[in-house]
Structures are given as structure tokens and as C-alpha cells.
Amino acid sequence: MKISTRGRYALRFMLDIAMHGSDNPVRLIDAAKRQGISEKYLEQIVSQLNKAGFVKSVRGPQGGYRLVKKPEEYTVGMILRLTEGSLAPVACLEFEENDCARQDSCATLELWKRLNDAISSVVDEVTLADLIDWQMAKADSYSI
């Protein structure tokens, strides 16, 4: 499994809003510059985040984007599944019910299940609040 630029950029944008949007909405152009992301590409990602109710737009001269919920209420898994779809490493695990004709004789199915569980346990436990903490720790280590 490989996370696309769309998923990585969506996560970076959400983190940017979480870090910079506590007082005022985050302008798209400002986030794009800070994150080194094309503004046009970010517009497409924001549209998807907005439709899903992850962010809301604020109109006007001081407008921009805000998180709908608190950073601790968004997991990395929520954001990546929205932008990437399934995070399953193989097609037979993409849906609740595995309808693969080979599942009873597949020697590798247990491996794929364990890998899927490991991926899910990480992305579903890490929140935007955790990423903020990690980012702040990195910033602190640079100032020493």
C-alpha cells in the first residue's frame, strides 16, 4: 500500500489548519505556501474535505478554513480513508465480507489480515492532536 500525494496533502492541510487556525480561519493560499503544495491541487482536496464535513469555509476578507471538530477528534485513518478509499493491502480485504474464492486455501490471507490490522491500529489511533504534539517536539529540538 502506498499513500498518494492526495492523502498526504490532505493530512498536511488538516494539520496546518489545526496548528494555525485556532484564532482565525486559515487562508488556502497561506496553507499552500507553508506546505509547499500547489494552490490549485489543494483546492480540489479542500473541496473533498469540505463536502465530508471535516472543514468549513468562512467567507469574507478574513475568511479561510476551519476544522469542524477539535484536532483530537480526527484520526489519521479518517482523513486517509476519505482521500484514499480503503487502506487494505490487498483487494480481498477492502470490504467487510471477503468474497474471494481462494480464501479457504489462501496461505497468505493471514499475513494480509495482520498487515491490514497493523495499518488500521496505527492510523486509527493517531490523531491530529498527536501530530501537533509531534510537530511541536520537532520544532523544540531544532531550537536547542
Side-chain angles (χ1 to χ4, degrees):
M1 177 201 62
K2 191 173 185 177
I3 304 296
S4 71
T5 55
R6 184 177 199 79
R8 293 192 325 266
Y9 289 179
L11 190 56
R12 284 172 41 193
F13 179 69
M14 293 286 287
L15 179 58
D16 192 279
I17 294 175
M19 292 185 72
H20 299 281
S22 59
D23 295 328
N24 295 309
V26 172
R27 293 180 343 148
L28 194 67
I29 190 168
D30 295 336
K33 284 180 184 175
R34 277 192 296 268
Q35 297 302 319
I37 302 171
S38 154
E39 192 177 348
K40 287 274 188 203
Y41 191 33
L42 196 52
E43 284 174 358
Q44 296 171 20
I45 294 168
V46 169
S47 175
Q48 187 176 19
L49 293 168
N50 193 24
K51 285 178 187 170
F54 285 24
V55 299
K56 66 178 175 182
S57 62
V58 178
R59 297 189 184 272
Q62 299 301 315
Y65 291 91
R66 288 206 128 118
L67 296 179
V68 172
K69 301 176 185 177
K70 296 175 186 172
E72 54 271 13
E73 296 180 66
Y74 294 97
T75 66
V76 170
M78 290 168 64
I79 298 164
L80 291 179
R81 285 187 188 92
L82 174 67
T83 55
E84 300 290 322
S86 172
L87 299 178
V90 291
C92 65
L93 296 176
E94 287 182 353
F95 302 103
E96 196 70 30
E97 188 173 325
N98 183 344
D99 62 355
C100 178
R102 297 181 38 93
Q103 68 178 308
D104 292 334
S105 62
C106 181
T108 59
L109 181 58
E110 185 60 29
L111 168 70
W112 304 133
K113 284 180 179 179
R114 289 182 185 193
L115 182 57
N116 189 50
D117 291 345
I119 291 167
S120 293
S121 72
V122 172
V123 300
D124 291 336
E125 289 178 15
V126 176
T127 67
L128 281 181
D130 294 325
L131 294 178
I132 291 169
D133 292 343
W134 296 352
Q135 183 65 49
M136 299 305 280
K138 284 192 173 286
D140 289 345
S141 70
Y142 283 116
S143 63
I144 295 175

